[in-house]
Amino acid sequence: MRRFLFALIGIAFTLPIIAQESTSEANPKVLSVSLRDAVQYAVDHNRSLQNASLEERQQHAARWQTIATMLPQVSGTLDYLSMCGYKMNIGGMAMPMNPNGTLGVTAALSLSGKQVVATLLNNLAIEMSEVSKKKTEQTVINSVITTYYTVLTLTETIDLLQDNYNNLETLYQRALKAVEVGAAEQISADQIEVQVNTYKTSISDVQLNREVMLSTLRFLLGLDRDTNVTLTDKISNLMSIDETLAILGEEFDIEKNYDYQLVSKNAEIAKKQITLATMDYIPSVRAYYKYSAKTYFGADEGFNMTNPNTIGISVDVPIWSSGQRASAITQKKLASQSAQNTMMDTKDQLNISNYQLRYNLQNAYDKYVVQKKNVEVSQKVLDNISKKFEYGYASSTEVTTASQDLIVAQTSYVNAVLSTVEAYLNLKDLINIPYN
């Protein structure tokens, strides 16, 4: 059980998903949630998801920046020039250089192959950010579900241990009375006392773990640490045989898997980078129009060579780069090949995981059924031994053994529940079945 608890705590505190809102609506002091409500609350108040949405919007803005470079760009200039009364001498004639101002407006249009390819790369980046956002949401939801289940199993464990602690305390008091009247030995009472203290320690440990996991759940939901969270669902209602095992009949379409989609998009981007590097061999074109107006503020016009209308077209043709462009293309080809290898490796690994995770789920669920029955049987055994002890038909050693067996059975049950939930979520993520 400690292995699962530490793993969950590690996941929770490495996920940057806290959403500490300042409003009372975002941070209520009391919150009662079902599992479905908890998932939705985390999705609505999660900063990682908000950041993923912002990243998607950034990619859209980046695409528009690239498109805008292919559209007309207009700029204006306003100049003022004063030569401080200087007069130019031309052929013995003094020509005053009066202060003047110039207004210029330039409209330019540039077009190159790199701009077109960059737009295509922006489109792929947007698609990749959308997949990344879905993957982040999937991770957040799984963390909430696992933590929710953990709190429920720990609560159930506390209730069971508390009931048996009360029963053993009653047996201990009766054993002390039996010792007082000489009907039993002190060692019998001491053995039960040790087991009572063991239960007391176990309850404290589980309560501490439960508080840690509740704090983790608050963290995941973006709540204040002093918010009182109550879980309204029960393990018995959530652990459905039909729903858990039905997923084993689902087909695995690797194209729907988010991990594969991400490496696939990355491979596409790497391939487009080759085309982008090739565009360095393609000529680029720039055309512009410039309007200029000059004024002398009512003074005599001086030597004025300002042209009011100018049109220009330039073509930039790459000729020689000493192998720089060729090396860049080679580099991009090698990077693309590496990305393709990564994609194929990921595909093979996911196909292997498909078989492994199906086995893990079936095996985990079988253990869950066995451990659940084991707890029920161990509880009945302890109840039976306790009654026999009251009437002198069972020893304190039998009571101690039965109580220890119940603690072991309950611990195994908690591990079985969390293993089943983990196996179910892992297979669900692989197949990419949305949370309903």
Side-chain angles (χ1 to χ4, degrees):
M1 182 173 67
R2 290 179 181 272
R3 176 169 58 87
F4 284 99
L5 294 176
F6 290 152
L8 288 172
I9 294 171
I11 291 173
F13 284 96
T14 54
L15 284 173
I17 54 177
I18 186 169
Q20 296 295 342
E21 301 292 339
S22 60
T23 62
S24 59
E25 180 181 357
N27 288 291
K29 295 304 179 183
V30 178
L31 184 65
S32 298
V33 289
S34 64
L35 178 57
R36 187 179 303 277
D37 294 336
V39 168
Q40 187 59 52
Y41 197 96
V43 170
D44 292 340
H45 299 84
N46 191 285
R47 276 202 185 155
S48 282
L49 291 176
Q50 293 173 4
N51 287 342
S53 296
L54 293 174
E55 175 64 25
E56 184 180 352
R57 292 170 62 184
Q58 288 180 51
Q59 295 300 335
H60 279 280
R63 179 179 62 176
W64 177 247
Q65 287 182 51
T66 304
I67 294 174
T69 62
M70 295 184 286
L71 301 177
Q73 310 291 315
V74 180
S75 61
T77 59
L78 184 60
D79 298 328
Y80 174 77
L81 179 63
S82 175
M83 295 190 178
C84 302
Y86 173 74
K87 294 181 180 181
M88 181 182 294
N89 191 345
I90 301 178
M93 297 179 60
M95 182 180 293
M97 304 298 292
N98 293 322
N100 61 82
T102 303
L103 171 66
V105 178
T106 302
L109 179 64
S110 299
L111 184 62
S112 67
K114 295 191 71 170
Q115 291 170 304
V116 176
V117 177
T119 302
L120 299 177
L121 283 171
N122 289 142
N123 291 335
L124 289 174
I126 291 173
E127 294 174 5
M128 197 168 184
S129 65
E130 291 173 348
V131 175
S132 181
K133 177 184 176 183
K134 293 175 182 178
K135 179 65 177 177
T136 302
E137 181 176 338
Q138 189 180 74
T139 302
V140 171
I141 290 175
N142 287 350
S143 298
V144 172
I145 292 175
T146 306
T147 306
Y148 195 100
Y149 268 90
T150 304
V151 174
L152 289 181
T153 54
L154 293 177
T155 301
E156 186 177 289
T157 300
I158 292 172
D159 293 339
L160 182 143
L161 293 177
Q162 187 64 53
D163 288 343
N164 286 287
Y165 169 79
N166 295 335
N167 293 336
L168 285 176
E169 179 65 27
T170 300
L171 292 180
Y172 173 62
Q173 296 301 325
R174 291 177 179 177
L176 288 178
K177 292 181 180 179
V179 171
E180 291 177 2
V181 299
E185 297 182 359
Q186 182 64 41
I187 188 64
S188 296
D190 292 342
Q191 285 180 318
I192 297 178
E193 181 184 17
V194 169
Q195 202 59 32
V196 169
N197 292 332
T198 299
Y199 265 86
K200 187 176 181 180
T201 301
S202 298
I203 291 172
S204 298
D205 289 342
V206 178
Q207 285 176 336
L208 176 60
N209 289 331
R210 181 178 180 274
E211 285 304 312
V212 171
M213 296 314 299
L214 276 174
S215 296
T216 302
L217 185 60
R218 295 187 191 98
F219 180 86
L220 294 171
L221 299 183
L223 299 170
D224 289 336
R225 61 182 181 180
D226 58 345
T227 302
N228 183 17
V229 180
T230 303
L231 310 187
T232 60
D233 280 328
K234 303 295 182 182
I235 285 289
S236 57
N237 297 331
L238 296 176
M239 295 293 290
S240 169
I241 296 178
D242 295 336
E243 181 181 353
T244 303
L245 298 184
I247 195 175
L248 294 174
E250 294 287 340
E251 295 277 341
F252 174 47
D253 183 359
I254 196 170
E255 297 292 338
K256 295 181 179 179
N257 182 270
Y258 289 145
D259 290 324
Y260 182 76
Q261 289 179 23
L262 287 173
V263 296
S264 179
K265 293 297 180 186
N266 188 61
E268 288 185 53
I269 290 175
K271 191 173 182 179
K272 282 290 187 295
Q273 289 286 352
I274 300 175
T275 307
L276 183 64
T278 305
M279 289 299 103
D280 282 337
Y281 285 101
I282 305 300
S284 59
V285 179
R286 181 176 184 272
Y288 68 93
Y289 165 77
K290 182 175 182 180
Y291 169 78
S292 299
K294 194 169 187 178
T295 180
Y296 285 84
F297 307 107
D300 293 336
E301 184 174 333
F303 187 70
N304 185 6
M305 295 184 63
T306 302
N307 183 18
N309 296 287
T310 304
I311 295 176
I313 298 177
S314 64
V315 179
D316 184 7
V317 181
I319 297 177
W320 181 253
S321 66
S322 299
Q324 179 182 356
R325 287 187 288 267
S327 297
I329 293 175
T330 301
Q331 179 189 11
K332 299 303 181 183
K333 286 182 177 179
L334 294 174
S336 177
Q337 184 178 350
S338 177
Q340 288 290 333
N341 290 338
T342 300
M343 184 179 70
M344 296 306 298
D345 284 346
T346 302
K347 184 176 182 179
D348 292 340
Q349 290 170 1
L350 290 174
N351 283 323
I352 293 173
S353 297
N354 179 40
Y355 296 105
Q356 183 64 49
L357 293 179
R358 290 174 187 273
Y359 169 79
N360 291 348
L361 176 57
Q362 183 65 61
N363 186 52
Y365 190 83
D366 291 342
K367 289 182 178 179
Y368 160 73
V369 173
V370 171
Q371 295 303 328
K372 183 179 180 182
K373 184 65 176 178
N374 188 27
V375 171
E376 296 173 357
V377 172
S378 297
Q379 183 65 61
K380 291 179 180 179
V381 170
L382 179 58
D383 293 342
N384 186 41
I385 294 296
S386 298
K387 290 181 180 179
K388 288 183 177 180
F389 181 80
E390 290 183 34
Y391 296 102
Y393 297 116
S395 66
S396 58
T397 301
E398 291 176 295
V399 173
T400 299
T401 301
S403 63
Q404 290 174 343
D405 289 343
L406 181 58
I407 292 177
V408 172
Q410 183 65 19
T411 301
S412 299
Y413 167 73
V414 170
N415 287 336
V417 170
L418 298 180
S419 294
T420 303
V421 172
E422 180 183 20
Y424 174 76
L425 292 177
N426 287 340
L427 182 57
K428 189 175 182 180
D429 287 354
L430 182 74
I431 301 175
N432 193 9
I433 299 177
Y435 179 78
N436 297 320

